[in-house]
Amino acid sequence: MASEIRVRFAPSPTGYLHIGGARTALFNWLFTRHHGGKFVLRIEDTDRTRNIEKAMAAICDGLQWLGLNWDEGPHIGGDFGPYLQSERTELYESYLKKLQDGGHIFEDQGALRFRSPREHVIVDDLVCGKIDFDLSNEQTHPDMTIRRPDGSWIFHFVNVIDDMEMKISHVIRGEDHLSNTPKHIEIFRALGATPPHYAHIPLILNKNGSKMSKRDEGARVEYYIKRGYLPAAVCNYLCLLGWSPKDNREKINIEEIIRLFDLNNVGRSHATFDPDKLHWLNGEYARELSDSEFYALALTRLKSSGVKIDNYPEEYVRAALQTCKGKINMFDELPAYCGFYFTDDFDYNPEGVAKHFTAENKPRLKAVRDAFSALQRFDAAEIETTLKITAANLGVKVGAIVHPTRLAVSGSNIGPSLYHLLEVLGKEKVLARIDRALSKFF
């Protein structure tokens, strides 16, 4: 059976890869990897008004970022190409003639229509079950156009021809295509061909129950690339939108997902996209990165955000970023989280200023400065001991001096471990920043 499995992802080149399309591609890819089959990428570019090359690049880039490598398609080729519909016109013409010769086509105001046999079509869907479509009423199910008056092809016809020619065994697509399926089956039958197996997966909805559209934030894969999401986390999350391993796990690596993936475990209910859960899951994956992986990704994100890290020694940059590992969920959080390492001209959090730069904290901050100034060794352990001793001498809890100290050296109320943060900055820079805060706010 494995050698017979051939699936396809057939997007239209809209200029971006929709997150719903990415989930469809992922389910196709998982299915064929589970069965050892072939994953085909086919571009349905019958709309001549689009910039096909640029739009196709956006799709390919998105799939490659997700790790969804295709076995046949653009840039790779294969035995059933070409894989752009715009390059398959002669093939469509030959099948049109077959339908015409069989009496299945008639002309209507310049358009060519397929003559429906007016019958019930039962779709035995692998997800939705058996559905009886009554196509006998011409008023509710008019004969479909397969070629427009201008000569351009309609999706229904070329989609069927390509699935037939490319020997697609299973069509896994969104539930919004379910109503198209009986029409497609009619064309298969008219050509004397056996239709593929169909599996229509649930739609992805926003948390408010609305259908996810291209205008929604997060509807495009490009959004996750730009924000610094990890593709492994995005794939993990997308696979759980409609499919379940049946053990309530939420974090599963892709190798195990491939092993477990089964269309029988795809549900009928609509899948709700929860950005907060994806944000959390990305953090779980980020915490598992090796130091070198984290450093490389963090470096890229900071540079693209305009942080001037090239002005600092590599050893300092590595030490600074190491204090952030395991503390963030998203790499686009880094500039705000650790930008203070790479500039002395930072702003101070207004709420923090109001809360921690108070009159009673002025002598405490001066005491911290004096204690730091006397240190011969300025490492995390010595810094922690010094702050605890200073707090005891002042008769306050250590938190009373930790918070104003953090605000003075970083401008923020939150951030990496203070003791390690101070060690990375170094004694000279820490003293200078405390002086700056004392002169500015007291």
Side-chain angles (χ1 to χ4, degrees):
M1 177 182 175
S3 62
E4 300 173 354
I5 298 295
R6 288 179 58 82
V7 303
R8 48 70 166 179
F9 176 53
S12 296
T14 56
Y16 67 95
L17 178 59
H18 190 277
I19 200 71
R23 195 272 309 259
T24 297
L26 174 61
F27 277 29
N28 276 278
W29 185 86
L30 289 170
F31 181 75
T32 195
R33 292 297 176 259
H34 177 84
H35 290 288
K38 298 291 186 182
F39 176 55
V40 179
L41 175 61
R42 185 174 79 220
I43 304 299
E44 299 195 336
D45 59 341
T46 54
D47 186 343
R48 300 169 179 173
T49 64
R50 290 173 173 159
N51 184 331
I52 303 305
E53 186 174 344
K54 182 178 179 181
M56 189 173 73
I59 293 170
C60 292
D61 290 347
L63 292 176
Q64 289 171 338
W65 180 77
L66 289 166
L68 306 183
N69 54 307
W70 52 96
D71 302 300
E72 299 175 21
H75 312 307
I76 292 178
D79 295 335
F80 302 95
Y83 294 90
L84 274 70
Q85 287 184 337
S86 58
E87 299 175 3
R88 297 171 65 83
T89 299
E90 289 185 13
L91 180 69
Y92 304 143
E93 293 284 2
S94 68
Y95 275 95
L96 173 62
K97 188 175 187 308
K98 288 182 181 181
L99 290 176
Q100 288 173 325
D101 292 344
H104 300 290
I105 301 296
F106 68 95
E107 186 174 344
D108 179 21
Q109 296 181 343
L112 296 182
R113 293 182 179 271
F114 175 79
R115 196 186 309 277
S116 173
R118 298 292 159 215
E119 59 187 3
H120 284 251
V121 176
I122 295 177
V123 177
D124 193 2
D125 193 272
L126 296 174
V127 173
C128 303
K130 285 190 176 182
I131 304 175
D132 185 342
F133 288 90
D134 182 2
L135 305 187
S136 61
N137 189 334
E138 186 176 355
Q139 299 303 313
T140 56
H141 296 281
D143 294 316
M144 62 178 151
T145 299
I146 64 171
R147 194 164 74 174
R148 302 179 184 90
D150 66 0
S152 60
W153 302 102
I154 295 293
F155 154 78
H156 300 293
F157 176 64
V158 293
N159 182 273
V160 166
I161 302 309
D162 288 342
D163 284 347
M164 187 187 311
E165 280 286 313
M166 294 179 183
K167 303 188 184 304
I168 299 302
S169 64
H170 294 72
V171 172
I172 305 169
R173 58 189 180 188
E175 197 177 57
D176 50 336
H177 284 290
L178 182 58
S179 61
N180 295 327
T181 304
K183 303 174 186 178
H184 296 177
I185 290 176
E186 284 189 326
I187 298 176
F188 274 108
R189 290 176 177 171
L191 290 168
T194 302
H197 298 286
Y198 287 95
H200 289 86
I201 57 182
L203 299 180
I204 299 177
L205 303 182
N206 293 311
K207 293 178 74 173
N208 63 6
S210 64
K211 184 178 177 181
M212 205 174 215
S213 75
K214 63 183 181 180
R215 292 178 295 276
D216 293 321
E217 183 179 64
R220 303 183 179 204
V221 170
E222 180 186 24
Y223 168 83
Y224 302 94
I225 299 174
K226 288 183 176 179
R227 284 206 58 192
Y229 277 85
L230 296 171
V234 176
C235 277
N236 185 160
Y237 183 69
L238 287 179
C239 84
L240 298 176
L241 293 178
W243 173 83
S244 170
K246 299 301 184 185
D247 57 9
N248 295 319
R249 279 185 298 163
E250 294 183 315
K251 186 176 182 297
I252 319 172
N253 66 54
I254 196 66
E255 290 78 15
E256 187 170 6
I257 295 172
I258 291 172
R259 181 177 64 81
L260 295 173
F261 191 80
D262 188 337
L263 288 174
N264 290 326
N265 291 338
V266 175
R268 288 294 312 276
S269 301
H270 291 152
T272 300
F273 193 94
D274 185 347
D276 295 332
K277 182 172 287 189
L278 175 55
H279 185 263
W280 164 81
L281 188 59
N282 198 79
E284 295 298 298
Y285 275 88
R287 279 178 269 283
E288 291 185 349
L289 293 171
S290 68
D291 289 349
S292 60
E293 289 172 329
F294 181 86
Y295 177 73
L297 291 168
L299 207 63
T300 299
R301 179 56 46 183
L302 290 174
K303 285 183 177 180
S304 67
S305 301
V307 178
K308 306 298 184 183
I309 56 177
D310 291 335
N311 297 337
Y312 296 84
E314 181 181 344
E315 183 180 1
Y316 173 82
V317 176
R318 285 187 177 276
L321 293 179
Q322 188 62 33
T323 66
C324 305
K325 189 170 183 283
K327 305 295 185 181
I328 60 165
N329 287 343
M330 298 296 311
F331 280 91
D332 70 348
E333 296 168 1
L334 272 176
Y337 189 79
C338 71
F340 65 87
Y341 279 123
F342 309 106
T343 179
D344 294 320
D345 185 23
F346 51 81
D347 296 325
Y348 299 84
N349 178 272
E351 293 180 0
V353 169
K355 185 175 182 180
H356 300 300
F357 284 172
T358 60
E360 65 178 348
N361 276 342
K362 179 179 180 180
R364 296 171 182 173
L365 196 53
K366 284 185 174 180
V368 169
R369 191 219 183 276
D370 292 341
F372 284 167
S373 180
L375 289 179
Q376 296 301 311
R377 192 173 76 251
F378 203 73
D379 58 31
E382 193 69 18
I383 290 168
E384 181 177 7
T385 299
T386 300
L387 283 174
K388 289 178 178 178
I389 293 173
T390 303
N393 292 338
L394 292 169
V396 298
K397 293 182 179 180
V398 70
I401 58 175
V402 161
H403 295 303
T405 301
R406 176 187 293 281
L407 186 62
V409 300
S410 71
S412 177
N413 303 320
I414 59 173
S417 164
L418 180 64
Y419 309 130
H420 291 95
L421 178 161
L422 294 171
E423 178 182 346
V424 171
L425 285 173
K427 179 178 176 179
E428 181 180 346
K429 193 178 289 290
V430 167
L431 295 179
R433 291 188 176 190
I434 293 176
D435 288 340
R436 178 192 181 211
L438 286 170
S439 64
K440 185 177 182 68
F441 295 101
F442 298 99

